Amino acid sequence: MLIMNEKIKAREVELTGLNGEDLGVISRDEALALAKKHKADLVCTSLFSSPPPCKLVRRGQAKQEATKEKKGQQGSSALIKVKEFRLTAHIEEHDYDTKLSQMHKLLAAGKAVQPVIRIQGKEGETARKLLERLVQDLAEIGKKETGLQISGKQATVKLLPI
């Protein structure tokens, strides 16, 4: 969060000028007057010291830098999208090949895939074998993030791109 100008509540601040020169410890009011005189903003750089270090920054530039930094952080922390594929335990060979090629394309593009097999009755073992076959067929381009998870109604595994 950016604390600027009148929002700074400290009585004294350690001030740095527009060109990085050290102006020493001065009162907040003097610092605000200097900021107005130079058509600049007074920006607090840290709240964890006393007096807080502040700097003079050209008007509007501080907000631009803060928004750029925020956008940069959002881009780097983006989650990998996971595409879910629904299958049945008794899938036909052609359908299996189609799903396999779709998963292969997504893994090659850097996206994660999660095949989910619906289980009805005693299909648990068939579903497990199908998942193992999928993992084996996609082994050169994807690796398991989770083990095979078989619960009452479905079996699933999450594959990440290598």
Side-chain angles (χ1 to χ4, degrees):
M1 193 174 129
L2 202 61
I3 298 176
M4 300 173 42
N5 300 331
E6 283 79 21
K7 289 183 181 169
I8 299 171
K9 299 295 181 199
R11 223 178 286 146
E12 291 183 323
V13 295
E14 189 176 326
L15 190 62
T16 305
L18 280 168
N19 301 320
E21 69 274 12
D22 186 26
L23 301 174
V25 177
I26 62 172
S27 75
R28 181 190 86 125
D29 296 332
E30 281 181 64
L32 286 171
L34 271 172
K36 274 192 178 133
K37 180 180 160 192
H38 291 291
K39 291 189 172 93
D41 286 322
L42 182 65
V43 179
C44 184
T45 55
S46 172
L47 295 172
F48 299 110
S49 57
S50 181
C54 295
K55 62 182 178 181
L56 293 176
V57 180
R58 268 184 261 116
R59 186 145 292 149
Q61 186 178 359
K63 281 187 180 177
Q64 285 177 345
E65 287 175 6
T67 54
K68 275 184 189 176
E69 194 174 290
K70 201 172 189 181
K71 282 183 182 177
Q73 287 174 351
Q74 286 174 351
S76 65
S77 66
L79 295 169
I80 296 176
K81 296 270 187 195
V82 179
K83 174 70 175 157
E84 191 175 285
F85 285 87
R86 294 186 174 270
L87 311 154
T88 59
H90 301 290
I91 189 168
E92 300 213 1
E93 202 57 39
H94 175 264
D95 295 334
Y96 175 84
D97 293 339
T98 304
K99 296 281 187 183
L100 183 69
S101 71
Q102 290 173 344
M103 287 186 228
H104 198 281
K105 283 179 189 172
L106 283 169
L107 285 168
K111 293 181 171 66
V113 296
Q114 183 171 7
V116 176
I117 301 173
R118 287 184 309 237
I119 300 173
Q120 296 173 341
K122 298 181 179 177
E123 295 177 339
E125 189 60 29
T126 314
R128 188 182 59 74
K129 286 180 180 169
L130 182 61
L131 278 180
E132 286 174 354
R133 180 178 167 201
L134 267 171
V135 169
Q136 192 70 38
D137 290 345
L138 294 168
E140 79 271 358
I141 198 157
K143 63 180 188 294
K144 288 194 288 187
E145 181 193 48
T146 60
L148 300 180
Q149 298 170 340
I150 301 172
S151 63
K153 299 217 187 268
Q154 67 181 21
T156 184
V157 65
K158 190 172 180 183
L159 299 169
L160 297 176
I162 294 179

